[in-house]
């Protein structure tokens, strides 16, 4: 059994960086950030450095991230609520078995 749940963070703004990013630093949580999707170069680089994410697992768009075979246990979507549905549906279609985020506020 794995020691940590390996996750991709989609969105390295406040929720991605300061909620899930900080949570993953706790030893009692069992969460490891192994990839980041973030259009802002500075935020993406900060997440990369803070979580030792390899350059090849740092993506500008979720389309880039989902263009390769699944490589982690879960996708955490920490983007604005209106963008959850297309990201979550693409992650699930790609084969990710777990996606943490409500799909949308309104259908």
């Amino acid at each position: 059994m794995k020691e940590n749940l390996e996750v991709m963070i989609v969105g390295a703004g406040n929720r991605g960086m300061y909620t899930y990013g900080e949570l993953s630093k706790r030893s009692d949580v069992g969460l490891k950030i192994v990839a980041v999707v973030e259009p802002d170069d500075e935020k993406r680089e900060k997440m990369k450095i803070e979580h030792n994410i390899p350059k090849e697992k740092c993506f500008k768009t979720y389309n880039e991230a989902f263009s390769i075979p699944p490589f982690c246990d879960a996708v955490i979507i920490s983007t604005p609520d209106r963008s959850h549905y297309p990201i979550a549906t693409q992650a699930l279609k790609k084969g990710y078995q777990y996606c943490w985020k409500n799909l949308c506020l309104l259908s």
Side-chain angles (χ1 to χ4, degrees):
M1 185 169 155
K2 281 177 153 181
E3 188 174 317
N4 294 307
L5 182 69
E6 295 183 348
V7 301
M8 176 190 329
I9 297 287
V10 180
N14 287 331
R15 277 184 277 182
M17 183 68 74
Y18 302 111
T19 300
Y20 301 114
E22 291 302 312
L23 184 66
S24 73
K25 293 176 184 177
R26 291 180 43 176
S27 62
D28 62 328
V29 173
L31 185 68
K32 181 177 181 186
I33 299 173
V34 298
V36 61
V37 177
E38 171 56 52
D40 183 282
D41 294 337
E42 289 180 27
K43 291 178 184 176
R44 190 173 60 253
E45 184 67 17
K46 183 176 181 183
M47 184 71 93
K48 174 185 165 232
I49 291 167
E50 285 195 19
H51 297 281
N52 298 313
I53 301 169
K55 185 177 181 173
E56 64 271 8
K57 296 294 194 263
C58 296
F59 306 97
K60 197 165 191 139
T61 70
Y62 66 89
N63 290 320
E64 282 179 51
F66 300 142
S67 71
I68 61 174
F71 56 86
C72 59
D73 302 312
V75 176
I76 296 177
I77 301 171
S78 54
T79 59
D81 291 341
R82 67 186 175 278
S83 65
H84 294 173
Y85 181 79
I87 299 169
T89 53
Q90 191 166 340
L92 294 169
K93 285 178 184 176
K94 187 63 181 180
Y96 286 96
Q97 298 298 310
Y98 185 77
C99 189
W100 173 252
K101 192 43 82 175
N102 55 314
L103 291 180
C104 62
L105 295 175
L106 301 170
S107 57

